[in-house]
Amino acid sequence: MTNTLEERLKGIIRATGPMDVATYMQLCLTDPEDGYYTTKEPFGGEGDFITAPEVSQLFGEMIGIWVIDIWQKMGKPQPFCLAEAGPGRGTLMADILRTLEKAAPDCAKAVDVTLIEVSDRLRALQRQTLAPNGRDASWIGDVSELSNQPAILIANEFLDALPIHQYQYRDGAWHERAIGLDENDDLTWGLKPASPMIPRALAPEQDAVFELCPAGQTAIASICDTMKRHDGAALIIDYGHLEPGLGDTFQAVKDHAYYDPLVAPGEADLTAHVDFSALARIVESNGLAAHMSTQGAFLIAMGLLERAGALGQGRSPEIQSRITTDVERLAAPDKMGDLFKVMSITAKGVDPHGF
Ligand code: SAH
């Protein structure tokens, strides 16, 4: 069965030829009528996937402690913009704010919350999540619209949702991977001419794939620009790699399982791994510092185990065992601990906690 987005995609391909992955990804995820994030409920057991803040409040608490530390190192600006890109249900921001209120009320008082979100449906959900905290927030659609304030920006699983281009090496030349139509009028993979800028150190074999995320690079450049003009810091968490590399990481997930990215467009989450090395180069070319680590090492350096112990103190064995499972899920190397990476962006000479 074809859905309306699939029909529209096919119409565009018939009219203009094979579609690059970035255009496909953007329409599938954020199309106002039929996009995944604009119309579906992706999160939690009932949805398609579970993110770290939805696993446990411990994740947001560790990020909250990072925010307090960096705010102090920035000289305690008041007010400051606490921004989150791609806040999903708003769980992470709620956990961060609760941590600020408990551990550093002066910091909590100085916060102006800004959420960067494309989906009106998710904006409404975020408003609901933050309401019990008695928090106002403002919403913007893009990081380039950040206000003229010192800013601390958080982004968890945001960059992996931004559209990528894929290039494939075949018979001695690079081509762009594109989506066309086969003889049955179904979506299918193909190649079209391209001349991408591929890092020279990567020696490709036949059919090797290189991925480029211009939207992610633009977002980081824009964050750096805000930080240079008004001071600030950022913490970016996502799955990806710290070294440049080759490989096809474009994937679809639906009902907690991998799915064919060309089947039922708009009904599955589409992501690609984040190339942190490319982002760190942008940070450094802006005269700022990038620190990188794995999620597991970062959370443990932030005090995850100590906080988990305190949270479990005097609780029932069931609760204690749930806390242990959650900690493993967030930090164990074979769970999210190694696959997910963390990158901070700060002024040079600042020593961010956790790295
Ligand atoms: N950070 C959340 C949700 C991650 S899902 C968590 O950890 O649970 C990705 C989020 O980014 C969603 O809120 C989605 O609507 C938003 N998003 C996706 N593409 C976007 C874009 N181009 N601009 C702004 N937000 C976007």
Side-chain angles (χ1 to χ4, degrees), residues 30 37 43 49 51 53-54 84 86-88 116-119 122 126 141 156-158 161-162:
T30 57
Y37 283 115
F43 311 105
F49 56 88
T51 57
E54 306 290 342
E84 185 183 355
I116 301 145
E117 176 58 68
V118 269
S119 159
L122 285 172
Q126 290 151 15
N156 183 59
E157 291 208 45
F158 167 67
L162 298 184

Side-chain angles (χ1 to χ4, degrees), residues 84-227:
E84 185 183 355
R89 284 211 269 223
T91 309
L92 175 57
M93 183 53 86
D95 288 342
I96 294 175
L97 291 172
R98 212 190 45 251
T99 307
L100 265 48
E101 271 147 24
K102 262 202 217 151
D106 52 341
C107 178
K109 237 186 253 140
V111 161
D112 274 342
V113 178
T114 298
L115 301 174
I116 301 145
E117 176 58 68
V118 269
S119 159
D120 286 340
R121 191 186 63 78
L122 285 172
R123 284 183 183 201
L125 199 58
Q126 290 151 15
R127 191 187 304 276
Q128 264 177 29
T129 308
L130 295 183
N133 293 44
R135 278 289 174 179
D136 273 345
S138 38
W139 278 263
I140 54 177
D142 189 84
V143 284
S144 60
E145 298 161 42
L146 279 169
S147 68
N148 300 333
Q149 275 179 327
I152 300 178
L153 179 134
I154 309 295
N156 183 59
E157 291 208 45
F158 167 67
L159 290 170
D160 67 33
L162 298 184
I164 56 153
H165 289 269
Q166 283 194 318
Y167 301 98
Q168 194 157 25
Y169 191 74
R170 181 153 315 158
D171 302 330
W174 286 100
H175 309 268
E176 175 147 21
R177 285 192 92 198
I179 295 149
L181 296 171
D182 66 12
E183 59 280 10
N184 300 321
D185 210 32
D186 287 328
L187 297 173
T188 190
W189 285 108
L191 295 177
K192 60 181 190 179
S195 43
M197 303 272 286
I198 310 283
R200 233 181 277 153
L202 299 174
E205 294 182 353
Q206 175 80 344
D207 284 338
V209 172
F210 179 74
E211 296 177 340
L212 202 65
C213 184
Q217 299 191 356
T218 306
I220 294 296
S222 180
I223 292 165
C224 290
D225 190 50
T226 303
M227 283 176 49

Side-chain angles (χ1 to χ4, degrees), residues 25 155-164 210-217 219-220 235-251 270-280 282 292-293 338-343 345:
M25 207 170 158
N156 183 59
E157 291 208 45
F158 167 67
L159 290 170
D160 67 33
L162 298 184
I164 56 153
F210 179 74
E211 296 177 340
L212 202 65
C213 184
Q217 299 191 356
I220 294 296
L235 192 70
I236 316 283
I237 306 137
D238 225 309
Y239 42 90
H241 40 98
L242 300 179
E243 302 293 332
L246 295 167
D248 175 8
T249 73
F250 182 51
Q251 66 181 30
L270 296 179
T271 60
H273 284 202
V274 173
D275 179 354
F276 281 95
S277 65
L279 303 181
I282 294 173
M292 297 197 275
S293 185
D338 272 2
L339 177 62
F340 281 73
K341 311 295 193 296
V342 184
M343 179 174 86
I345 310 176

Side-chain angles (χ1 to χ4, degrees), residues 195-341:
S195 43
M197 303 272 286
I198 310 283
R200 233 181 277 153
L202 299 174
E205 294 182 353
Q206 175 80 344
D207 284 338
V209 172
F210 179 74
E211 296 177 340
L212 202 65
C213 184
Q217 299 191 356
T218 306
I220 294 296
S222 180
I223 292 165
C224 290
D225 190 50
T226 303
M227 283 176 49
K228 282 196 303 192
R229 282 184 294 131
H230 310 291
D231 198 13
L235 192 70
I236 316 283
I237 306 137
D238 225 309
Y239 42 90
H241 40 98
L242 300 179
E243 302 293 332
L246 295 167
D248 175 8
T249 73
F250 182 51
Q251 66 181 30
V253 166
K254 186 167 160 53
D255 300 327
H256 301 267
Y258 291 112
Y259 205 70
D260 183 337
L262 300 194
V263 171
E267 289 175 33
D269 187 30
L270 296 179
T271 60
H273 284 202
V274 173
D275 179 354
F276 281 95
S277 65
L279 303 181
R281 275 200 304 277
I282 294 173
V283 173
E284 276 146 21
S285 71
N286 275 283
L288 299 166
H291 289 77
M292 297 197 275
S293 185
T294 62
Q295 174 168 308
F298 171 78
L299 290 177
I300 286 168
M302 291 302 303
L304 177 70
L305 303 180
E306 294 78 358
R307 175 65 187 135
L311 197 60
Q313 192 113 49
R315 310 295 289 273
S316 68
E318 292 74 41
I319 293 186
Q320 288 178 345
S321 123
R322 216 196 53 219
I323 294 172
T324 308
T325 313
D326 291 347
V327 165
E328 280 172 3
R329 195 151 172 200
L330 292 174
D334 59 338
K335 304 276 181 13
M336 299 174 90
D338 272 2
L339 177 62
F340 281 73
K341 311 295 193 296

